């Protein structure tokens, strides 16, 4: 009888402890999710991978201020726990928490392996924030906030001070659609290929050549006519109808590439992002992010309201059971036409009499937004790219 009593007591204690533990887990999980909704509703641009298990707060995040707020909220509930959260940038990186893209176009993937989905791209000279390392891959954040993985071979790791020094060096922007860096002025050996928008530092110049340095220290020569110094390039950027149309049409025929944001290949939102970048603005990466910017122009297929540069969005309309799905974007170029990347960069029209009539896109049209000359939280000036923030 005595042993049964002891056994029952142990079982009761275990049950009470388990109930308390479960209650703590549920309460902390609710706090985690509430904070996620506040600071990281879009996991593409904010990392908040936290969980509470066995009285331990685990996971990783780059939202350090929010993490401290969460910890205070847990402590206020008098819940004892172990803090096992990895704070990013990872301390294992040391001071090398910055990087520059060192190849013409860096492929940035959803996971740390070459077979992973291509999430986005970054051009040579683009500054990145480095968050952690996984073998030969680095989790980085691009200037538009996108979080993805890049191969070590495509970047040059730097400290804050080294990046600040690079910012101060004289620079040029490569303006031809494609080109090369040559080892010598005779163009006998290629150092690297280039695409429009790549950023290089200048070491010397002749009448028609520039001696430049790539972000990883490699040097070579380019034709002076194919580049423009950074300050004058920035000053000449404009989202006028003429500038947007010219840039967009220069990319006609560029092949569709999921995750692409360069002349080598673009997806639909990568195309609009590239057009605006080459004209001085950094806009969000994906169509489902771009649709949240600017002001609403049309949702009723009244094309008379549209202006050159307006972004048209397509997808599946929402219902009571399902959320709206934004899957495609194009840019209005006037005269009843828009330009977009589907298979290749092409021009389409909603006019049945136009040879470019696109019944397919007309059928899944959602609405049009305007970001040209409209203040928007996540639309930035390219001039902010080379500031030491």
């Amino acid at each position: 009888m005595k042993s049964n009593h002891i056994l029952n007591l142990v079982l009761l204690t275990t049950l009470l402890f388990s109930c308390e533990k479960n209650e703590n887990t549920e309460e902390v999980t609710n706090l985690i999710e509430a904070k996620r909704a506040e600071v990281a509703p879009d996991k593409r641009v904010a990392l908040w991978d936290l969980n509470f298990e066995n009285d331990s707060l685990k996971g990783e995040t780059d939202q350090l201020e929010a993490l401290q707020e969460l910890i205070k909220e847990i402590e206020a509930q008098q819940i004892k726990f172990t803090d096992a959260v990895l704070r990013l940038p990872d301390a294992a990186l040391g001071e090398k928490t910055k990087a520059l893209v060192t190849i013409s176009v860096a492929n940035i993937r959803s996971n740390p392996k070459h077979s992973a989905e291509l999430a986005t791209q970054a051009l040579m000279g683009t500054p990145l924030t480095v968050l952690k390392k996984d073998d030969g891959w680095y989790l980085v954040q691009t200037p538009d906030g996108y979080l993805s993985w890049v191969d070590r071979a495509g970047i040059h790791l730097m400290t804050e001070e080294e990046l600040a020094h690079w910012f101060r060096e004289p620079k040029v922007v490569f303006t031809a659609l494609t080109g090369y860096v040559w080892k010598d002025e005779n163009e006998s050996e290629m150092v690297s290929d280039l695409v429009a928008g790549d950023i290089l530092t200048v070491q010397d110049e002749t009448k028609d050549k520039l001696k430049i340095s790539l972000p990883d220290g490699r040097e070579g020569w380019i034709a002076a006519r194919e580049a423009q110094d950074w300050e004058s390039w920035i000053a000449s950027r404009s989202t006028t109808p003429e500038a947007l149309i010219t840039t967009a049409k220069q990319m006609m025929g560029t092949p569709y590439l999921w995750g692409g944001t360069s002349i080598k290949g673009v997806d639909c939102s990568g195309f609009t992002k590239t057009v605006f970048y080459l004209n001085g603005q950094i806009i969000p990466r994906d169509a489902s992010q771009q649709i949240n910017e600017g002001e609403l122009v049309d949702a009723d297929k009244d094309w008379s309201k549209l202006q050159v540069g307006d972004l048209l969005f397509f997808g599946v309309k929402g219902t009571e059971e399902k959320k709206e799905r934004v899957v495609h974007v194009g840019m209005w170029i006037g005269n009843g036409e828009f330009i977009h990347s589907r298979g290749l960069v092409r021009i389409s029209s909603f006019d049945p009499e136009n040879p470019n009539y696109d019944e397919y896109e007309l059928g899944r049209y959602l609405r049009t937004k305007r970001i040209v000359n409209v203040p928007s939280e996540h639309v930035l000036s390219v001039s902010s790219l080379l500031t030491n923030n």
Side-chain angles (χ1 to χ4, degrees), residues 298-299 313-317 324-326 364-368:
D298 171 74
F313 295 93
F314 307 84
V316 181
K317 293 183 178 181
E324 176 184 80
R325 288 181 59 237
V326 181
R364 60 177 189 166
Y365 173 76
L366 295 174
R367 57 190 174 277
T368 297

Side-chain angles (χ1 to χ4, degrees), residues 48-317:
W48 185 258
D49 185 14
L50 301 181
N51 64 83
F52 191 74
E53 183 180 351
N54 298 325
D55 294 325
S56 181
L57 184 62
K58 303 177 180 179
E60 58 186 11
T61 183
D62 64 337
Q63 303 297 304
L64 303 187
E65 184 176 336
L67 175 61
Q68 288 306 113
E69 293 172 356
L70 173 66
I71 289 173
K72 289 181 179 179
E73 291 172 2
I74 297 174
E75 292 174 341
Q77 301 301 318
Q78 298 185 334
I79 297 173
K80 295 182 179 180
F81 68 99
T82 300
D83 181 357
V85 176
L86 175 63
R87 287 144 170 88
L88 302 177
D90 188 353
L93 295 170
E95 295 184 352
K96 301 278 188 177
T97 60
K98 298 294 180 181
L100 289 169
V101 175
T102 61
I103 54 180
S104 62
V105 179
N107 292 326
I108 306 182
R109 301 187 178 276
S110 57
N111 287 296
K113 54 185 178 180
H114 285 292
S115 59
E117 175 187 62
L118 182 63
T120 190
Q121 294 178 320
L123 303 183
M124 181 184 291
T126 299
L128 307 171
T129 296
V130 183
L131 297 178
K132 68 175 182 177
K133 180 182 179 182
D134 185 343
D135 197 14
W137 291 80
Y138 287 87
L139 179 64
V140 297
Q141 188 164 37
T142 57
D144 57 6
Y146 222 75
L147 294 164
S148 309
W149 293 87
V150 64
D151 183 351
R152 172 68 178 86
I155 61 173
H156 177 57
L157 295 172
M158 310 177 83
T159 65
E160 291 267 8
E161 291 73 20
E162 289 169 337
L163 183 60
H165 175 76
W166 182 84
F167 283 154
R168 292 191 293 270
E169 293 185 359
K171 295 177 186 63
V172 294
V173 178
F174 191 73
T175 54
L177 289 181
T178 59
Y180 304 94
V181 178
W182 299 101
K183 187 174 182 179
D184 54 44
E185 292 183 77
N186 296 323
E187 301 183 357
S188 61
E189 182 180 327
M190 189 178 81
V191 177
S192 174
D193 72 318
L194 296 171
V195 300
D198 284 347
I199 302 172
L200 310 160
T201 54
V202 181
Q203 304 301 320
D204 197 1
E205 61 182 298
T206 64
K207 180 179 179 181
D208 57 358
K209 299 280 186 178
L210 295 176
K211 184 179 182 181
I212 56 84
S213 177
L214 279 62
D216 58 1
R218 288 177 293 162
E219 295 183 346
W221 295 83
I222 63 172
R225 68 179 183 278
E226 295 181 335
Q228 188 174 357
D229 72 89
W230 173 258
E231 287 77 15
S232 63
W233 185 80
I234 285 294
S236 64
R237 295 307 89 193
S238 170
T239 52
T240 62
E242 296 78 15
L244 292 172
I245 291 174
T246 297
T247 303
K249 287 188 174 181
Q250 283 179 333
M251 297 180 67
M252 284 285 288
T254 299
Y256 182 93
L257 175 65
W258 178 270
T261 61
S262 74
I263 193 63
K264 292 186 176 182
V266 288
D267 58 22
C268 64
S269 56
F271 171 65
T272 52
K273 180 176 177 61
T274 299
V275 170
F276 275 87
Y277 173 81
L278 294 177
N279 286 285
Q281 288 192 325
I282 299 173
I283 67 175
R285 171 63 186 88
D286 293 339
S288 59
Q289 297 171 313
Q290 293 176 8
I291 198 171
N292 296 321
E293 304 305 318
E295 63 182 19
L296 179 65
V297 175
D298 171 74
D300 302 310
K301 301 181 180 179
D302 183 354
W303 317 126
S304 66
K305 296 179 180 178
L306 276 56
Q307 297 177 6
V308 173
D310 287 347
L311 298 181
L312 291 75
F313 295 93
F314 307 84
V316 181
K317 293 183 178 181

Side-chain angles (χ1 to χ4, degrees), residues 16-34 50-58 70 74 77-81:
L16 289 173
F17 178 76
S18 177
C19 289
E20 181 181 359
K21 189 173 180 180
N22 289 337
E23 288 177 2
N24 288 345
T25 299
E26 182 177 357
E27 188 169 353
V28 175
T29 298
N30 289 337
L31 291 174
I32 291 173
E33 292 307 309
L50 301 181
N51 64 83
F52 191 74
E53 183 180 351
N54 298 325
D55 294 325
S56 181
L57 184 62
K58 303 177 180 179
L70 173 66
I74 297 174
Q77 301 301 318
Q78 298 185 334
I79 297 173
K80 295 182 179 180
F81 68 99

